[in-house]
Amino acid sequence: NWTAPMDELGAVSWLLGYGFIGLTGLAVVEKFIPLFPSYVLLMLLGMTVADPQNLIATIAATTLGSTIGACCWFGIGRTLGGERVARKVSQYGRFVFLSPQLYDRLTNAYRRNHFWVTVTGQTIPTARVYLALPAGILGLDFKIFGVATLLGSMLWNAPFLCLGYVLRTSDYDPFQAAFWAAVGLVGVEMSILAIVTICKRRMSGSPSRQRLPVKQE
């Protein structure tokens, strides 16, 4: 069904027509409706940039939008509270790629330094969308959260936007370059997920082997 992708591309084009405000709005929407993997979307946006000055403006607009979107999730968590959010995640989380297990891991992450957990979380796919939810529930300092989110969003957005800009200005065919770059980025993400999954399984299996009873003679 090609209708949905074309509709999404049409929505992106419509928002881009509003310049800085449209880019900011697109980054906010991306926090709630994943039109594409965020790194692919950012790379494609980078390919629409005409010059370095506009590239800086695009980085600023998307960073601001990502921060606003995260603050909205923060507000949702603060308003609903832990029990209601946990119940909603259990019921509907699978439809938005937020399993109860992932939600628990995001919540437990805040047992460490809140600032750097927030900064790092904005550079991890999926976590960068939903990490603000437990932050709101736990009632973290909103100013610190906002600054950390702004910094983390810039660290995530800027490289992919610059990659798109470089591809656009290179001697290669921009469409083919974008396609293979997107394939490469998805491949890297899938490889990292596979490695993390394998490591977790090995770590969870090793203690059980250590606890095997010793046969008494």
Side-chain angles (χ1 to χ4, degrees):
N1 184 5
W2 292 97
T3 303
M6 291 303 295
D7 289 343
E8 292 174 354
L9 289 172
V12 171
S13 300
W14 178 76
L15 285 170
L16 291 180
Y18 288 89
F20 187 93
I21 295 176
L23 284 168
T24 303
L26 180 60
V28 173
V29 170
E30 186 269 329
K31 284 286 190 176
F32 292 89
I33 305 174
L35 303 175
F36 308 98
S38 60
Y39 46 81
V40 174
L41 177 61
L42 290 166
M43 184 186 66
L44 293 176
L45 288 178
M47 295 184 68
T48 68
V49 176
D51 53 62
Q53 184 176 356
N54 285 331
L55 177 61
I56 295 174
T58 302
I59 293 172
T62 54
T63 299
L64 176 61
S66 295
T67 303
I68 292 173
C71 290
C72 291
W73 279 113
F74 184 98
I76 291 172
R78 190 68 177 268
T79 301
L80 295 181
E83 292 184 4
R84 293 173 65 184
V85 168
R87 188 163 58 249
K88 296 297 183 184
V89 169
S90 179
Q91 293 174 340
Y92 307 111
R94 63 183 181 275
F95 299 113
V96 292
F97 309 106
L98 180 61
S99 65
Q101 294 78 14
L102 175 58
Y103 173 72
D104 290 340
R105 288 200 298 270
L106 294 177
T107 302
N108 291 333
Y110 273 119
R111 292 179 178 177
R112 297 181 290 275
N113 187 292
H114 296 167
F115 182 87
W116 290 111
V117 167
T118 303
V119 171
T120 305
Q122 289 302 314
T123 64
I124 302 174
T126 306
R128 62 183 296 274
V129 176
Y130 298 116
L131 188 63
L133 194 58
I137 293 171
L138 296 172
L140 303 186
D141 186 288
F142 183 74
K143 292 181 180 179
I144 294 177
F145 171 82
V147 171
T149 300
L150 190 72
L151 176 59
S153 296
M154 184 180 65
L155 292 174
W156 173 261
N157 293 357
F160 297 114
L161 289 168
C162 291
L163 173 61
Y165 177 75
V166 170
L167 291 176
R168 180 183 181 277
T169 56
S170 67
D171 295 331
Y172 298 99
D173 179 85
F175 295 102
Q176 290 187 2
F179 172 78
W180 288 113
V183 170
L185 290 172
V186 172
V188 169
E189 180 184 3
M190 297 303 294
S191 300
I192 292 174
L193 290 175
I195 292 171
V196 170
T197 301
I198 293 172
C199 291
K200 285 184 177 180
R201 288 178 179 176
R202 289 183 176 179
M203 291 177 64
S204 62
S206 56
S208 62
R209 289 193 295 268
Q210 294 175 359
R211 289 195 298 266
L212 288 175
V214 178
K215 183 178 179 181
Q216 300 292 333
E217 295 184 358

